[in-house]
Amino acid sequence: KQEVTQIPAALSVPEGENLVLNCSFTDSAIYNLQWFRQDPGKGLTSLLLIQSSQREQTSGRLNASLDKSSGRSTLYIAASQPGDSATYLCAVRPYTGNTDKLIFGTGTRLQVFP
Amino acid sequence: EAGVAQSPRYKIIEKRQSVAFWCNPISGHATLYWYQQILGQGPKLLIQFQNNGVVDDSQLPKDRFSAERLKGVDSTLKIQPAKLEDSAVYLCASSQAGGRNTEAFFGQGTRLTVV
């Protein structure tokens, strides 16, 4: 059974710091991994999608890496800003029959203070 | 490009009452998902549609939950009767056909409180 774990559960940093969020999954048989952002009371915003054949993806100040064999992904946020404060979720899409559902971690709640 | 639309945004009902949620996916997206997100947890899949057919409903509590996607576009999720433990955010998402290698896009969600 695929399980996704995110560490740390919460993180508070001063503005300007570079930071790393971690995601681990138990079964390497995945199609891809997706990172999302969730603001309080809101839905999920897709940040980055990494296919299983890729090692990393970049978008602006965000860089996500994937090491499928070790079951790990990291989301790197450069020069953090107060507007980055949100919960960050990672999700994997495992090989499971006909479905292509996402299996989510419980998220890392990030607070960036001025 | 319009995103995934959901309504209502919030709903408060008493236990044993019924409730329905509506979702309109991104135009052209054949795959539609309903996820349940309980406070402090990641979303969990309830049901997946491919066009108007069900692909996966293994986690849907079928004694009280039902969902349909008529004409392969809009979808409704219904709970009848609701229980206290159904309090959660219900998220609708969609992706293009062949969704395994494409991004899933989520709506704003409906926050349900059962009292």
Side-chain angles (χ1 to χ4, degrees):
Chain A
K1 177 185 175 185
Q2 178 73 266
E3 294 184 358
V4 180
T5 303
Q6 291 187 247
I7 295 173
L11 186 62
S12 183
V13 301
E15 182 177 7
E17 274 204 8
N18 301 323
L19 50 99
V20 175
L21 307 182
N22 296 293
C23 172
S24 61
F25 46 97
T26 55
D27 190 339
S28 62
I30 62 171
Y31 287 106
N32 51 53
L33 182 146
Q34 200 166 348
W35 281 93
F36 294 89
R37 168 185 174 140
Q38 186 172 33
D39 293 282
K42 299 291 182 64
L44 277 64
T45 300
S46 178
L47 298 174
L48 290 164
L49 171 70
I50 310 178
Q51 302 295 351
S52 61
S53 59
Q54 297 175 323
R55 298 285 293 182
E56 65 180 305
Q57 281 284 347
T58 299
S59 176
R61 294 183 295 108
L62 305 179
N63 176 275
S65 67
L66 174 64
D67 185 342
K68 198 174 71 165
S69 61
S70 68
R72 294 181 182 178
S73 176
T74 60
L75 179 66
Y76 176 83
I77 303 176
S80 58
Q81 303 171 358
D84 294 330
S85 298
T87 296
Y88 290 80
L89 293 156
C90 75
V92 299
R93 184 175 271 116
Y95 296 150
T96 50
N98 292 329
T99 183
D100 57 3
K101 66 183 177 184
L102 291 165
I103 306 294
F104 283 85
T106 53
T108 293
R109 189 170 63 254
L110 173 65
Q111 181 181 14
V112 181
F113 54 90
Chain B
E1 178 182 86
V4 177
Q6 290 188 247
S7 66
R9 288 295 314 279
Y10 306 94
K11 192 74 176 178
I12 301 175
I13 62 172
E14 296 182 349
K15 60 183 179 183
R16 291 188 290 274
Q17 285 187 327
S18 63
V19 64
F21 313 129
W22 173 82
C23 172
N24 179 243
I26 292 173
S27 177
H29 281 194
T31 306
L32 184 147
Y33 317 81
W34 283 102
Y35 284 83
Q36 179 193 57
Q37 185 178 23
I38 294 172
L39 186 65
Q41 299 181 18
K44 293 182 179 179
L45 182 73
L46 291 175
I47 188 167
Q48 176 187 344
F49 292 94
Q50 182 75 15
N51 296 307
N52 61 352
V54 175
V55 173
D56 184 355
D57 63 357
S58 58
Q59 300 300 308
L60 187 73
K62 298 180 185 65
D63 57 334
R64 297 183 301 105
F65 286 65
S66 65
E68 61 181 6
R69 189 183 185 196
L70 298 176
K71 300 180 182 179
V73 181
D74 293 2
S75 177
T76 56
L77 176 69
K78 297 179 181 178
I79 308 175
Q80 181 179 10
K83 293 184 175 182
L84 296 177
E85 58 261 37
D86 298 332
S87 294
V89 176
Y90 291 85
L91 295 161
C92 179
S94 70
S95 64
Q96 294 177 346
R100 288 169 178 170
N101 294 319
T102 64
E103 281 185 271
F105 295 91
F106 283 75
Q108 293 289 294
T110 296
R111 180 176 298 277
L112 173 67
T113 303
V114 182
V115 299

Coordinates of all heavy atoms in Angstrom, one line a residue, chain B residues 2 10 13 21 25 31 33 51-52 54 70 73 82-83 95 104 111-112:
Chain B
A2 N -10.8 29.0 -17.8 CA -11.5 28.9 -16.6 C -11.0 27.6 -15.9 O -10.7 26.6 -16.5 CB -13.0 28.8 -16.9
Y10 N -19.5 26.8 1.0 CA -19.7 26.4 2.4 C -21.1 25.9 2.6 O -22.0 26.3 2.0 CB -19.5 27.6 3.4 CG -18.2 28.3 3.2 CD1 -18.1 29.5 2.4 CD2 -17.0 27.9 3.9 CE1 -16.9 30.1 2.2 CE2 -15.8 28.6 3.7 CZ -15.8 29.7 2.9 OH -14.6 30.3 2.7
I13 N -25.0 21.7 7.9 CA -26.3 20.9 7.9 C -26.3 20.2 9.3 O -25.2 20.0 9.9 CB -26.4 20.0 6.8 CG1 -25.3 18.9 6.8 CG2 -26.5 20.7 5.4 CD1 -25.5 17.8 5.8
F21 N -23.3 18.5 -3.6 CA -22.2 19.4 -4.1 C -22.2 19.3 -5.6 O -22.4 18.2 -6.2 CB -20.9 19.1 -3.5 CG -20.9 18.8 -2.1 CD1 -20.3 17.6 -1.5 CD2 -21.4 19.7 -1.2 CE1 -20.3 17.4 -0.2 CE2 -21.5 19.5 0.2 CZ -20.9 18.3 0.7
P25 N -15.9 20.8 -14.4 CA -14.5 20.7 -14.6 C -14.0 21.6 -15.7 O -14.8 22.3 -16.3 CB -14.3 19.2 -15.1 CG -15.6 19.0 -15.8 CD -16.7 19.7 -15.0
T31 N -11.4 13.4 -17.4 CA -11.3 12.8 -16.1 C -11.7 13.7 -15.0 O -11.3 14.9 -14.9 CB -9.9 12.3 -15.8 OG1 -9.5 11.4 -16.9 CG2 -9.8 11.4 -14.6
Y33 N -12.5 13.9 -10.6 CA -12.3 13.3 -9.3 C -13.0 14.0 -8.2 O -13.1 15.3 -8.3 CB -10.8 13.3 -8.9 CG -9.8 12.9 -10.0 CD1 -9.4 13.9 -10.9 CD2 -9.2 11.6 -10.0 CE1 -8.4 13.5 -11.9 CE2 -8.3 11.3 -11.0 CZ -7.9 12.3 -11.9 OH -6.9 12.0 -12.9
N51 N -15.0 10.4 -18.5 CA -16.2 10.8 -19.2 C -17.4 10.6 -18.2 O -17.3 11.1 -17.1 CB -16.3 10.1 -20.5 CG -15.2 10.4 -21.5 OD1 -15.0 11.6 -21.7 ND2 -14.5 9.4 -22.0
N52 N -18.4 9.8 -18.5 CA -19.5 9.6 -17.6 C -19.4 8.2 -16.9 O -20.4 7.8 -16.3 CB -20.8 9.9 -18.2 CG -21.1 9.0 -19.4 OD1 -20.2 8.2 -19.8 ND2 -22.3 9.0 -19.9
V54 N -17.7 5.4 -14.2 CA -16.9 5.3 -13.0 C -15.7 4.4 -13.2 O -15.8 3.3 -13.6 CB -17.8 4.8 -11.9 CG1 -16.9 4.6 -10.6 CG2 -19.0 5.7 -11.6
L70 N -23.4 13.2 -15.4 CA -24.3 13.1 -16.6 C -23.6 13.8 -17.8 O -23.0 14.9 -17.6 CB -25.6 13.7 -16.3 CG -26.4 13.0 -15.2 CD1 -27.7 13.7 -14.9 CD2 -26.7 11.5 -15.5
V73 N -19.8 15.8 -18.3 CA -19.2 17.1 -18.0 C -19.4 17.4 -16.5 O -18.5 17.0 -15.7 CB -19.9 18.2 -18.8 CG1 -19.4 19.6 -18.5 CG2 -19.8 17.9 -20.3
A82 N -26.3 12.5 6.3 CA -24.9 13.0 6.7 C -24.6 12.5 8.2 O -25.6 12.5 9.0 CB -24.8 14.5 6.6
K83 N -23.4 12.3 8.4 CA -22.9 12.0 9.8 C -21.9 13.1 10.2 O -21.3 13.7 9.4 CB -22.2 10.6 9.9 CG -23.2 9.4 9.6 CD -22.4 8.1 9.8 CE -23.4 6.9 9.7 NZ -22.7 5.7 9.9
S95 N -8.6 16.4 -15.0 CA -7.4 16.3 -15.8 C -7.8 15.8 -17.2 O -8.9 15.3 -17.4 CB -6.4 15.3 -15.2 OG -6.9 14.0 -15.2
A104 N -3.3 17.3 -12.5 CA -4.7 17.4 -12.0 C -4.9 18.8 -11.5 O -4.0 19.4 -10.8 CB -4.9 16.4 -10.8
R111 N -16.6 23.4 1.8 CA -16.4 23.1 3.2 C -17.7 22.7 3.8 O -18.7 23.5 3.9 CB -15.8 24.2 4.0 CG -15.5 23.9 5.5 CD -14.8 25.1 6.1 NE -13.5 25.3 5.6 CZ -12.4 24.6 5.9 NH1 -12.5 23.7 6.8 NH2 -11.3 24.9 5.3
L112 N -17.9 21.4 4.3 CA -19.1 20.9 4.9 C -18.9 20.8 6.4 O -17.9 20.2 6.8 CB -19.5 19.6 4.3 CG -20.6 18.8 5.0 CD1 -21.9 19.6 4.7 CD2 -20.8 17.4 4.5

